[in-house]
Amino acid sequence: METDTNRFSWFDVADDIKELLILAAATWENTEESTKYMQQALAKTADNTDILVAAYRYFYYKNNYGLALTTAEKITAKIKAVENLSDNWEELKPILIKRQEEPQIRLYLNAYAASGLVLAKLGKIEEAKEISSRIKGIDDKNDFGAGILLDILTRPPETDD
């Protein structure tokens, strides 16, 4: 299959990686085959942020929540290391509030919020609530969707009248 790797010019990766992503999309209906291409792209570029984001989306929309969570956690870990962010939430929170408009920090917050969503999908409700609550405490404009998720997770059950 011949692919046009120029369609993905914003990805700063080699053409063979772009081709793997195109093949993963082209074979979407065949999960086993498309997953093979995505895994190959990840194996060749384990720490490329663009590929990690693409992989997260791929796994999420394929309902492979275990790999989606792993990928979101890789993104947050990578940004944490590059930005020298604390593991302690009380130390981290003011930094995230102050720097939330910076692209790397926004990606961190998006990936962290995404991990909360995936945890909810996996039935890990308390962990999902904790992450959503943390993000909501930073996100006045609800840019990251954590407030909506937290509202859903903490909504009292409906009663039949």
Side-chain angles (χ1 to χ4, degrees), residues 43-64:
K44 290 183 174 189
T45 61
D47 65 344
N48 182 290
T49 304
D50 288 334
I51 303 303
L52 287 170
V53 170
Y56 167 79
R57 289 177 178 154
Y58 172 85
F59 294 128
Y60 181 83
Y61 289 111
K62 278 294 190 179
N63 300 316
N64 188 335

Side-chain angles (χ1 to χ4, degrees), residues 10-77:
W10 65 90
F11 276 83
D12 187 22
V13 294
D15 283 349
D16 64 324
I17 303 304
K18 290 177 189 176
E19 187 165 331
L20 289 168
L21 296 175
I22 292 167
L23 289 169
T27 59
W28 178 263
E29 296 302 319
N30 181 340
T31 299
E32 186 178 331
E33 187 175 352
S34 65
T35 299
K36 176 184 72 173
Y37 293 126
M38 184 56 70
Q39 293 286 14
Q40 288 174 4
L42 280 170
K44 290 183 174 189
T45 61
D47 65 344
N48 182 290
T49 304
D50 288 334
I51 303 303
L52 287 170
V53 170
Y56 167 79
R57 289 177 178 154
Y58 172 85
F59 294 128
Y60 181 83
Y61 289 111
K62 278 294 190 179
N63 300 316
N64 188 335
Y65 300 126
L67 284 177
L69 179 61
T70 299
T71 307
E73 289 172 342
K74 284 181 184 178
I75 294 167
T76 56

Side-chain angles (χ1 to χ4, degrees), residues 135-153:
I135 297 294
K136 184 177 179 181
I138 290 172
D139 184 17
D140 295 340
K141 298 178 271 182
N142 202 26
D143 285 343
F144 306 105
I148 295 167
L149 179 60
L150 185 62
D151 290 346
I152 291 168
L153 294 175

Side-chain angles (χ1 to χ4, degrees), residues 56 60 65-66 68-69 72 113-124 149:
Y56 167 79
Y60 181 83
Y65 300 126
L69 179 61
S115 69
L117 174 62
V118 174
L119 285 164
K121 293 260 188 195
L122 291 170
K124 298 181 178 182
L149 179 60

